[in-house]
Amino acid sequence: MTFPVLADSVVAHAGPSAAVLAYIPSPPRGVWYVGPLPLRAYALCIIVGIIIAIWWGEKRWQERGGQSGAVLDVAMFAVPFGLVGGRLYHVATDWQKYFGADGHPMNALKVWEGGLGIWGAVLLGGIGAWIGCRVYRIPLPAFGDAIAPGILLAQAIGRLGNYFNQELYGRKTDVPWGLEIYERFGSDGQLDMMNGVSTGVVEKIVQPTFLYELLWNALGVAVLIWLDRRYRIGHGRLFALYVAIYTFGRFWVELLRDDEATHVFGIRINTYTSVLVFACAIAYFVLATKGREVAGQLRPGADRPWPWQLAALRAHGVAAESEAAQADSTVESEAVTAAKTEAAAADEPEPTESDHEVSDSGNESEPSDDNSATDSAETTAAKTADSGKN
């Protein structure tokens, strides 16, 4: 089993003067077989991304004061909903592939062959997360803040799957980092760009938009982590920032793409979606409660207004901040009291050796007096006896 390496590929350029450029080669294939079992790079990338998002989200949830295992519990609802939503969005926006004149409707069920729309995945995945949070009685906005960086990192990993599938690429180009798209053929000799094996014939050189989005997502993860640590963002606002960062980059990537997609008035439908979702994310970030939830609000059963109850959310946030400030004040006052007690103990004089000697002599005087009294009584008795004899 061999994997492609991003090495230089020398290509002769037709034109007034031939030029030699170094391009990024595509993988020769995206599917390997272990016996009858197909091993798909796209599916592996999705699975790895999900595992990392859950692991990192669980870690961040516990750091914020949440209970262990909550992220995995909610993910049991969110992940299946997200996969179904992503596939539904893809099929709905590229319905010609499945229900057009040359389409195959049953292929709509083959989610392992690629084709997951992030918008549908986030929408239905969010609904699944909401159901899970309702079941386990934890706040959905805080949950979203905990998993936001992990989701964006999972999307970056998922773009590697697009690379293996030779999809999500841009228009033809002659830039040095252009991506080579190979012709692939199946075992039956028929052209199969998704599941076939490359013959080494370059079909075209295109913009590697999968790589642009991968790098943008990775940069977005770093920005989210920095902002969260610097400003302690909560109440769903970090998740809104994740959505805004992703959609902003996706808008420009969509303008570069030239692969098959549905267009409305000559513009790709995902471009419209990016603008709409970006506006909604910014609105939520501006209007939602500032600050971050305290640990007590993340425990199961903690009362919290609905996300659309903006006035109640602000009041709830103010109360939470007041509670946190009061808790900090209590801790500070206890620390001051402990410091004063230690200082007072340090100011008391320590016992000296003379004090010990005085104490010891005083303790010894009592038994000394008792002995002298005994001796005196014995002497008197002896004298009386002697006088009787005389």
Side-chain angles (χ1 to χ4, degrees), residues 82 85-87 89-90 115-125 151 155 159 213 242 246-247 250 254 270 273-274:
R87 189 60 176 178
Y89 183 88
H90 168 74
L116 292 175
I118 184 60
W119 314 114
V122 171
L123 177 60
L124 279 193
I151 292 178
Q155 290 177 228
R159 288 299 166 237
E213 188 169 327
Y242 141 67
Y246 175 74
T247 51
R250 184 62 183 265
E254 287 293 328
N270 284 337
T273 307
S274 296

Side-chain angles (χ1 to χ4, degrees), residues 3 9 19 53-54 70-71 74 80 82 88 90 156 163 175 179 250 253 256 259 264 269 330 336 358-359 376 381 388:
F3 289 85
S9 177
I54 293 175
V71 172
V74 176
L88 287 176
H90 168 74
Y163 171 57
V175 297
L179 176 68
R250 184 62 183 265
V253 168
L256 293 174
D259 52 339
V264 178
I269 192 171
T330 301
V336 171
V358 172
S359 177
S376 177

Side-chain angles (χ1 to χ4, degrees), residues 130 284 305-311 313:
W130 175 77
Y284 183 92
W306 292 99
W308 54 82
Q309 295 176 310
L310 298 179
L313 278 172

Side-chain angles (χ1 to χ4, degrees), residues 184-260:
R184 290 177 176 177
F185 292 87
S187 57
D188 57 358
Q190 299 297 316
L191 183 66
D192 189 349
M193 298 295 286
M194 182 72 67
N195 303 304
V197 180
S198 170
T199 61
V201 177
V202 178
E203 180 185 5
K204 54 187 173 182
I205 308 296
V206 297
Q207 290 277 3
T209 48
F210 88 91
L211 181 61
Y212 300 159
E213 188 169 327
L214 187 158
L215 296 176
W216 175 257
N217 290 348
L219 177 62
V221 171
V223 170
L224 288 176
I225 294 300
W226 181 81
L227 289 175
D228 192 33
R229 291 177 178 174
R230 176 68 176 81
Y231 298 103
R232 294 182 56 81
I233 301 174
H235 301 285
R237 297 171 74 237
L238 190 71
F239 188 86
L241 272 182
Y242 141 67
V243 174
I245 289 173
Y246 175 74
T247 51
F248 182 83
R250 184 62 183 265
F251 174 83
W252 298 105
V253 168
E254 287 293 328
L255 295 180
L256 293 174
R257 289 179 62 179
D258 193 35
D259 52 339
E260 186 178 356

